[in-house]
Every structure is written in structure tokens, then in C-alpha cells.
Amino acid sequence: MAVINQEWQIDFAGVLMGPGTPYPVSNITGLGTPEVRAQDVELPTDDGSFPGVDYYSPRTVTIEAGIRTPGDPHAAVDALAALDQAAADPATRKRAGAVQTLRLWWPGRTNPKRLYGRVRRVEAVSMAQAIYGWIPITLDFTATTPEWHDDTEQQTTLPLARDFDEEGFTAPVTAPITTGVANPQERPGWVTNFGDLAAWPSLTISGPVVNPRIWITETGRVLDLALALGESDILQIDTRPGTRWVLHNGGNAAYALSAASRLDLFQIPPRRTSEIRWTGADYTNSSRLKVSWRDAYTAL
């Protein structure tokens, strides 16, 4: 991943472009609304159609740029080779589900945003001026999901919660009744998505714990797993479209999810602070849940 340190710069699958680099950028397209896959149905006995659900197609960002290394044709060809190598990266190209990143720092924004997808084209438009250190290029990056993500990944680590709704309180009860936290906002589990779209969290549980249960209080969405994790076991849950999985020590554990557990609906609500909690059986009090997410946005 390239280090972006100023506005207008672009990280194209690990290659830094824009101001201060050998890659001046002249134009970028594909930043608006992606193409819509309309599910409209024509009315069989009348004019027009019935509007169905609209889905977005993959977003393709096209970058018109150049390679400029005045008087140094060797450096120009090396710069073109760096782009070719990014496109040909076998760790991504030959592995199903693997993605690359396109990161842009747009003027007026406080930090870069990113898309996940694949490099689809690196084209040297003309080599006529390469001897002088100039090669015009066209680049295509196809994002598998249309939303933009904040460049900063947020994380929080949670111990097991005491579920007072299920356990209740032990008599005799004396006033004042507290949960041990004076300010509710200081409890672990508060996550904030500043974006205007719901964010997809990644979850990691380190054992030991039996039958973990994770839920988002504001939405009621829950992930129940009939599973026992040993002291050195790791459970990974990814809810992102195209990469949804449940892995127990690297092996598939989706079978452990209950019927009510929907990875495709387990999202952090937009423009608010929500609470994530989890329970399970752990008599060592050492198991932990790590929640990672990036704020999600409709536009750059």
C-alpha cells in the first residue's frame, strides 16, 4: 500500500500517482453512480412496466494519466512496469475472492477513501515519446462493490458481557441499582459509523468460549454459533459482500450459525453510534471479541 500524503494523490493497487510522483493525472471517470441493473418487468396487458428492485453493477474507475520522467526513458519504462506488475500480481489475480484497493484523497476531504476490486487495464496509449520520458496511459479499476470506504479501519476489543436481561439480579436488591458503569457511554462495545451507508464489520473471537452470541442492540441482528473454542482457537467472521465467511482456525464453520444468523444483514447502522455486545460460556474470563470496520459512503 502506497503512502498518500496530499490531496489529489491516488494509490492504484500499490502504485502512488498524482502530485509529487512520475504519474501526472489528467482525468478520472467512474466516480458517480454505477450502472443500474434494473429488475423492471413489462406489464403483459398494459403499457409500461412494473419497477422492480434496482441493483448497482460493479463500478469501473478509469484514470487518464501519463508517465513523465523528462530525459530518462529508462525510468519511464520502469514506471510502466510497476503498473503492469500491480495488474499481474498473482496473489490477487490467481486467487478467487482476492481484491486490490484503489485509494483517492479528494480535495476537501480529511483523509483518503478506498474501493475494493481488481485492476482490469493498464494500457500504454502510445510509446512514440517514450524516448523522451513521456508515456500516456489509461488505467481501469473495477470495484466489486460500489460503496466507498474510509481509509482508516476502526477497531474495538470486547470482553464477554453479562446479559442482565437473561440473568437478572440476585436478591436482596438495594438502591441504587447499577451495572458497575457510571456512564453508559464508557461501556465497551460502542461503535460509531460516520458514513451515510451501513458498514460491514469483521469479527474475530479468541477462545476459550462456548456458544458465542453476538448482537447489535440497535438493530437486533444476531449471530449465534453452536461452537466450542479452545484456549488457542480463533473464530473469524467476515460480513462483507463477496467475502462472507465463518472460519474456525482457518476451516469453514458456517454450519455452526443458527437459522436466525444472517451475515448479509449484520451491519453497523450509518450516521450513529451503536452498541455491539456478546455472550458465551468462559470461566477464565480471557476470551475476547475484536470488531473491525470502515465507515461506508455513497460517494467519494
Side-chain angles (χ1 to χ4, degrees):
M1 185 172 65
V3 177
I4 295 178
N5 52 35
Q6 61 178 293
E7 296 177 349
W8 290 111
Q9 285 189 335
I10 302 169
D11 173 6
F12 184 80
V15 179
L16 186 63
M17 306 179 66
T21 76
Y23 305 94
V25 176
S26 61
N27 192 31
I28 306 175
T29 59
L31 303 182
T33 302
E35 183 179 346
V36 173
R37 291 186 286 119
Q39 306 295 307
D40 297 351
V41 179
E42 293 186 0
L43 299 177
T45 60
D46 208 341
D47 299 330
S49 63
F50 178 81
V53 178
D54 289 343
Y55 295 102
Y56 284 137
S57 296
R59 177 199 297 275
T60 297
V61 177
T62 298
I63 301 173
E64 302 289 344
I67 297 172
R68 184 173 59 195
T69 57
D72 192 344
H74 185 272
V77 175
D78 284 348
L80 179 60
L83 293 170
D84 288 335
Q85 290 164 4
D89 178 21
T92 302
R93 185 170 56 87
K94 294 188 175 182
R95 187 159 63 93
V99 294
Q100 297 164 298
T101 57
L102 175 69
R103 304 164 56 234
L104 296 89
W105 191 347
W106 206 245
R109 302 303 187 186
T110 56
N111 61 329
K113 291 189 176 67
R114 60 171 57 193
L115 293 171
Y116 294 101
R118 293 279 184 96
V119 175
R120 290 306 185 201
R121 180 167 62 145
V122 174
E123 179 182 348
V125 178
S126 172
M127 297 295 288
Q129 303 296 317
I131 193 172
Y132 304 111
W134 169 254
I135 304 174
I137 54 176
T138 299
L139 311 174
D140 283 346
F141 184 95
T142 298
T144 52
T145 57
E147 65 269 14
W148 293 87
H149 301 273
D150 196 272
D151 201 41
T152 302
E153 182 181 66
Q154 301 187 67
Q155 292 185 353
T156 186
T157 301
L158 314 177
L160 280 169
R162 289 179 57 86
D163 196 338
F164 293 109
D165 293 337
E166 294 182 3
E167 297 179 6
F169 294 93
T170 302
V173 177
T174 58
I177 302 173
T178 70
T179 61
V181 181
N183 181 2
Q185 292 293 333
E186 294 176 359
R187 289 204 309 267
W190 292 106
V191 296
T192 301
N193 174 14
F194 293 99
D196 64 324
L197 294 177
W200 301 101
S202 296
L203 312 166
T204 302
I205 297 177
S206 56
V209 66
V210 177
N211 297 337
R213 181 175 186 266
I214 310 166
W215 71 95
I216 299 177
T217 303
E218 283 70 20
T219 65
R221 295 298 177 184
V222 63
L223 298 179
D224 266 317
L225 297 111
L227 196 66
L229 301 182
E231 185 174 349
S232 60
D233 288 353
I234 298 294
L235 184 73
Q236 297 171 291
I237 304 173
D238 201 323
T239 65
R240 293 176 298 169
T243 57
R244 292 189 176 115
W245 59 54
V246 181
L247 301 178
H248 180 198
N249 293 338
N252 180 35
Y255 63 85
L257 287 170
S258 68
S261 302
R262 294 280 301 273
L263 294 180
D264 60 326
L265 298 177
F266 197 84
Q267 296 176 281
I268 300 173
R271 292 175 172 165
R272 65 178 299 174
T273 297
S274 306
E275 185 179 26
I276 293 182
R277 303 188 70 196
W278 79 299
T279 58
D282 169 26
Y283 298 103
T284 69
N285 196 31
S286 61
S287 61
R288 293 293 184 269
L289 167 67
K290 183 173 75 172
V291 184
S292 307
W293 75 98
R294 296 181 190 272
D295 300 344
Y297 298 85
T298 303
L300 183 62

